[in-house]
Amino acid sequence: MPAPIVRSSLALRQISLFAGLDDDCLNRIAAACEWRHVDAKKPVFTRSSTGSDVFFLLTGRVRITTYSASGREVSFRDYQPGEHFGDLSAIDGQMRSADVVALESSQLAGLGAADFMALMAREPLIARRMLQHLTGLVRQLTDRVLELSTLSVQTRLHVELLRLAHAAGVLADGSARIEPAPPHSALASKISTNREQVAREISALTKSGLLRKQGQRTLCVTCVQDLQELVLA
């Protein structure tokens, strides 16, 4: 049984977009939200969905992904508690641009497009943060297009592992522990290749000592600086 959702402003305090808002504002947002639970491996919405709610992730983890005409999965990124998604459709009124699937049992609060747009008009701080968020998306997509256009599969994997290592945090000894360790299929979908090629490259990095598995859930980058040098080579 999933834990009950706390339908109050208390659950929204962890959402980074809402940081610093007063209690009255958070209470209004909480009252306007639709609260829902999504089981692991179930979609939050699909690219063909017509809804335009903005979702705030309270617990769990979701992945933004889509599929090519040939059926190959292309993943963009994973979202953690405190983040939001779905804002593009709320802003432009168009269909969803990607699929979102729950990687773990997740709890979300959804705010309708009209309420979300009214919130941005009423709260300049939210509007400014949204501009920064959208600018960040453009920069990320620009970097990704450049990577896919100019880097080899091997280097793209190194870049993705380096990104995950920095997101996990570099430890005092220069290592990083990526947890949970991403499946080869997930890495392949992020760097536009196949699982077999990822498996070969991971095996090579493991034999060189740069990667080490720790149990079933953790992938250790033994020296983040060495991985950085591989990317720059």
Side-chain angles (χ1 to χ4, degrees), residues 8-9 12-13 18 21-31:
S8 73
S9 60
L12 296 179
R13 291 187 184 282
F18 299 151
L21 296 183
D22 60 37
D23 290 342
D24 287 343
C25 183
L26 285 174
N27 285 331
R28 287 196 299 271
I29 297 170

Side-chain angles (χ1 to χ4, degrees), residues 36 42-55 65-67 85-86 88-90 92-101:
R36 60 185 290 196
K42 297 295 184 181
V44 179
F45 57 72
T46 66
R47 190 173 185 180
S48 59
S49 297
T50 56
S52 56
D53 287 7
V54 180
F55 288 96
T65 189
T66 192
Y67 294 86
F85 56 89
L88 295 184
S89 291
D92 66 10
Q94 301 297 308
M95 295 178 67
R96 300 296 191 182
S97 60
D99 298 350
V100 179
V101 62

Side-chain angles (χ1 to χ4, degrees), residues 12-121:
L12 296 179
R13 291 187 184 282
Q14 66 174 306
I15 305 301
S16 58
L17 187 65
F18 299 151
L21 296 183
D22 60 37
D23 290 342
D24 287 343
C25 183
L26 285 174
N27 285 331
R28 287 196 299 271
I29 297 170
C33 281
E34 177 183 348
W35 305 71
R36 60 185 290 196
H37 171 84
V38 181
D39 291 330
K41 299 183 180 179
K42 297 295 184 181
V44 179
F45 57 72
T46 66
R47 190 173 185 180
S48 59
S49 297
T50 56
S52 56
D53 287 7
V54 180
F55 288 96
F56 309 103
L57 185 58
L58 307 175
T59 65
R61 194 161 54 98
V62 303
R63 174 166 293 159
I64 313 298
T65 189
T66 192
Y67 294 86
S68 69
S70 64
R72 172 180 285 184
E73 182 180 7
V74 180
S75 295
F76 296 101
R77 59 161 296 191
D78 296 350
Y79 279 63
Q80 310 292 335
E83 297 188 273
H84 71 277
F85 56 89
D87 41 83
L88 295 184
S89 291
I91 291 171
D92 66 10
Q94 301 297 308
M95 295 178 67
R96 300 296 191 182
S97 60
D99 298 350
V100 179
V101 62
L103 299 177
E104 304 168 358
S105 177
S106 302
Q107 295 180 341
L108 307 103
L111 187 64
D115 288 326
F116 183 70
M117 296 301 289
L119 174 64
M120 286 201 294

Side-chain angles (χ1 to χ4, degrees), residues 16-19 77 79 84 87-88 91 116 120 124-140:
S16 58
L17 187 65
F18 299 151
R77 59 161 296 191
Y79 279 63
H84 71 277
D87 41 83
L88 295 184
I91 291 171
F116 183 70
M120 286 201 294
L125 177 62
I126 299 296
R128 184 163 63 251
R129 285 175 178 164
M130 276 302 303
L131 288 174
Q132 293 169 342
H133 166 71
L134 294 173
T135 301
L137 287 180
V138 172
R139 292 183 183 278
Q140 289 171 17

